[in-house]
Every structure is written in C-alpha cells, then in structure tokens.
C-alpha cells in the first residue's frame, strides 16, 4: 500500500446504540486497517470497551468529559497523523456506509487539491436505497456549497486539514462540517462527492410530514422530498444550530445559501409547524433566540 494514501477510520462516540455501532464497525473493518474510537463520555462506555478495546485493528479511547464533536474529530485527525495515515474516514456512530466506500474513494486520491471526499447521503429516508440505485448520477459531483458535505463517511486529507486549521472546537456540535468545508474551499482545495458509494444516516429523529409526502408522491419534486421528513432535534441542538449558523455566516463570505438568515428562520418556522405536537414551541424558540444572541461567545 502506498504510504501517501494510507487510510484509517475514526468514530466519535456519545451514548451510541450498541447494535448499530457494531454494524458500523463491522463494515469499516473490512475496508480499512485501523479504526479509532473516541468516546466523549458515554454512560455505556464499559459495554463499548468490552466489545472493542482488545480487538485487533481497533483503538478505543475514553474521555470522561463530553468535549463535543469537533474536539473528537481533531483527536482522530491527530491520531491518524501520528500513525502515518494521510487519509482519515470520519464516521458518525449512527451512520452505515456502503461496502464499496473505500474502494470507490481510492480512485480519487491522487489529486493533490482534493481535501474531502464524501458519498451520496441517504438520510431519514428522504431518498431510499432503491431510489438511489435507480438514479442516473454522475460518478463524481464537485461540491461548491459548504452545506453539501457532512463529516460522516467523509474521507479527510489529514495534512490539508491540519494545514488549514482543523475543526473549530468552540462550535461543539452543529455546523462543524460547514466550518471545515468553508476553510477547505476558501483555501483553494476541492470537495468531491463520489456518487458510486453511499452512506445511510439518521439525523435526529425523523418525523414524517404527511402533506409533503403526499405532494412528493404526486409530483416527484425534489423540494417535497426534502420536506417530507422533519428532523426532530432537542432544544439544546436548536440552540447550537442557531448560534453556530450565525457564526458561519458572519465569518465566511461564501458560506452557502442554507446558512443565510432568511433560510434559517424559514427552517425553524418549518419545525414550528411540523414538529410533534408535544414539543413546547416557546422553549424551542427560546433556545433558538438564546443561540442567536450567544454566537459571539464562539470567538
């Protein structure tokens, strides 16, 4: 194996669902020689440790305090660098990648300008696996919008990411991927999406919106596909979403349309209308407003 294209994988953990994590790891084991697990203070850490700590090719590290996704990602990048890996596949604990992911990614490693490689993402059943397989997609899509690449199943060029400043740990969670994508693009590097590989992800708890599901089935318009499942986040996640999206749009000129103020307000109004009835809308909007006010604390 070429030393300049050595690949490892890493997963940041926080109270993972064990069976889903096992499935995730089992698929990765067949594709990479090393997997790093960074545990951000999981309450079920003993169970995780018993499963993976003594397994060949897997290194498990438990951090007593939850330091956030960006801290965990930086830990993974640093371990990859220390151990001679030039590429690190970053995975979410609740994501499952296709069996051909690394095989397909390897076709695109020789371009010195490629910093991030992502797959086609199937999230919350907005696109089913069967629908994906029937799509006539180009082999590769060039990503220009920082919102179009997420860290899960993203193959990260370790030297480039270290050069441009790593992940912003002050963000903690939400828009961590948008921030690194902005850095990549602003520094003249490329992000590509390899459509011949895929990743299945569950973002929050998907809540089906029947009116948009009906409209999509009638029209097959992509906008209704996006709207037919509302991602249900906790109020804490909405706080970070509001705070960090404001940071992104005030820090980067080319931050993408889906971090703009108008889009974000419409996004939260959509949640207000279509979240489960038991959600307290007053608390939800208080978290959003508090996050909007607190964005300067990131600096």
């Amino acid at each position: 194996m070429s030393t300049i294209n050595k690949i490892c994988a890493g997963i940041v953990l926080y109270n993972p669902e064990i069976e889903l994590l096992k499935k995730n790891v089992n698929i990765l084991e067949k594709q990479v020689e090393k997997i790093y697990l960074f545990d951000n203070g999981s309450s079920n850490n003993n169970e995780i440790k018993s499963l993976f700590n003594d397994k060949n090719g897997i290194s498990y590290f438990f951090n007593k305090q939850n330091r956030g996704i960006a801290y965990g990602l930086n830990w993974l990048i640093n371990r990859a660098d220390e151990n001679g890996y030039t590429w690190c596949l970053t995975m979410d604990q609740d994501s499952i990648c296709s069996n051909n992911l690394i095989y397909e990614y390897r076709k695109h490693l020789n371009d010195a300008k490629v910093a991030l490689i992502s797959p086609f993402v199937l999230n919350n059943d907005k696109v089913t696996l069967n629908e994906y397989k029937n799509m006539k997609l180009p082999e590769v899509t060039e990503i220009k919008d920082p919102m179009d690449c997420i860290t899960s199943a993203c193959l990260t060029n370790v030297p480039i990411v270290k050069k441009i400043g790593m992940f912003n740990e002050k963000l903690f969670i939400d828009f961590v991927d948008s921030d690194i994508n902005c850095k990549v693009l602003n520094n003249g590097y490329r992000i590509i999406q390899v459509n011949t590989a895929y990743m299945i992800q569950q973002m929050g708890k998907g809540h089906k919106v029947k009116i948009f599901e009906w409209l999509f089935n009638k029209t097959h318009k992509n906008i209704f596909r996006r709207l037919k499942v509302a991602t249900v986040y906790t109020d804490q996640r909405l706080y970070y979403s509001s705070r960090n999206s404001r940071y992104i749009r005030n820090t980067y000129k080319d931050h993408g349309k889906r971090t703009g103020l108008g889009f974000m307000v419409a996004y939260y109004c959509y949640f207000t209308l279509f979240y489960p009835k038991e959600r307290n809308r007053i608390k939800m909007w208080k978290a959003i407003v508090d996050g909007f006010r607190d964005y300067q604390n990131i600096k």
Side-chain angles (χ1 to χ4, degrees):
M1 185 186 298
S2 171
T3 56
I4 63 170
N5 285 332
K6 286 186 66 178
I7 300 173
C8 67
I11 311 174
V12 180
L13 307 176
Y14 182 70
N15 296 334
E17 181 184 328
I18 295 298
E19 289 305 313
L20 188 57
L21 178 61
K22 284 167 64 176
K23 185 176 180 180
N24 189 346
V25 170
N26 287 341
I27 292 174
L28 292 177
E29 278 184 304
K30 300 170 186 176
Q31 301 189 56
V32 298
E33 66 178 40
K34 185 70 175 182
I35 301 172
Y36 296 99
L37 303 177
F38 178 85
D39 194 327
N40 245 329
S42 296
S43 58
N44 57 348
N45 67 88
N46 287 331
E47 188 175 2
I48 301 167
K49 185 177 180 179
S50 67
L51 283 171
F52 301 117
N53 201 35
D54 297 322
K55 203 169 184 181
N56 289 335
I58 299 177
S59 292
Y60 174 75
F61 178 82
F62 178 69
N63 199 57
K64 292 182 180 179
Q65 180 184 359
N66 183 1
R67 300 287 295 273
I69 186 70
Y71 182 92
L73 289 169
N74 283 337
W75 188 94
L76 295 175
I77 295 298
N78 285 327
R79 294 298 80 70
D81 186 46
E82 289 172 4
N83 291 283
Y85 294 98
T86 50
W87 295 88
C88 180
L89 180 74
T90 55
M91 289 292 300
D92 285 354
Q93 63 188 26
D94 56 357
S95 300
I96 302 295
C97 68
S98 59
N99 291 317
N100 68 336
L101 187 79
I102 297 300
Y103 175 81
E104 295 297 328
Y105 281 179
R106 282 195 179 277
K107 299 175 183 178
H108 307 279
L109 301 187
N110 293 325
D111 186 336
K113 284 294 184 180
V114 171
L116 303 172
I117 306 176
S118 67
F120 189 91
V121 177
L122 312 171
N123 83 49
N124 290 355
D125 291 327
K126 292 179 182 180
V127 178
T128 67
L129 187 56
N130 284 335
E131 286 173 332
Y132 158 74
K133 290 178 177 178
N134 289 322
M135 288 179 173
K136 296 180 179 180
L137 299 168
E139 182 178 344
V140 176
T141 302
E142 188 83 17
I143 290 181
K144 298 294 187 182
D145 189 322
M147 287 292 288
D148 286 342
C149 174
I150 61 176
T151 54
S152 188
C154 183
L155 189 62
T156 302
N157 185 305
V158 173
I160 290 176
V161 167
K162 288 184 72 72
K163 179 181 176 181
I164 64 176
M166 303 283 278
F167 295 91
N168 188 341
E169 295 177 11
K170 292 183 179 180
L171 296 180
F172 193 78
I173 194 170
D174 280 316
F175 291 92
V176 171
D177 40 18
S178 301
D179 180 76
I180 198 69
N181 295 346
C182 286
K183 290 177 182 175
V184 165
L185 296 173
N186 287 354
N187 281 279
Y189 294 105
R190 297 176 64 206
I191 305 173
I192 61 172
Q193 177 176 297
V194 174
N195 294 314
T196 50
Y198 66 86
M199 183 267 293
I200 301 173
Q201 184 186 48
Q202 182 70 30
M203 297 177 66
K205 294 181 179 180
H207 176 68
K208 289 188 176 181
V209 182
K210 291 182 179 180
I211 181 62
F212 292 126
E213 189 173 28
W214 180 83
L215 286 169
F216 172 70
N217 291 334
K218 288 291 183 182
T219 68
H220 299 288
K221 297 290 186 181
N222 198 49
I223 186 172
F224 298 130
R225 182 197 298 278
R226 289 177 175 271
L227 294 173
K228 69 177 185 174
V229 180
T231 303
V232 181
Y233 294 122
T234 64
D235 292 340
Q236 183 186 38
R237 285 293 299 274
L238 291 173
Y239 168 88
Y240 283 117
S241 171
S242 177
R243 187 192 71 160
N244 295 353
S245 62
R246 189 180 184 193
Y247 169 81
I248 294 294
R249 62 178 170 269
N250 280 278
T251 302
Y252 303 103
K253 180 180 178 182
D254 299 320
H255 53 78
K257 294 180 180 179
R258 281 174 287 153
T259 48
L261 180 60
F263 179 89
M264 295 306 298
V265 170
Y267 188 57
Y268 298 138
C269 288
Y270 168 74
F271 288 165
T272 300
L273 291 171
F274 297 108
Y275 263 16
K277 292 180 181 180
E278 63 268 19
R279 283 297 294 272
N280 187 314
R281 267 59 176 177
I282 293 175
K283 289 182 178 179
M284 186 183 86
W285 275 97
K286 183 180 185 303
I288 293 168
V289 172
D290 287 347
F292 186 83
R293 289 173 176 168
D294 289 349
Y295 95 100
Q296 289 182 329
N297 294 339
I298 297 171
K299 300 177 182 180

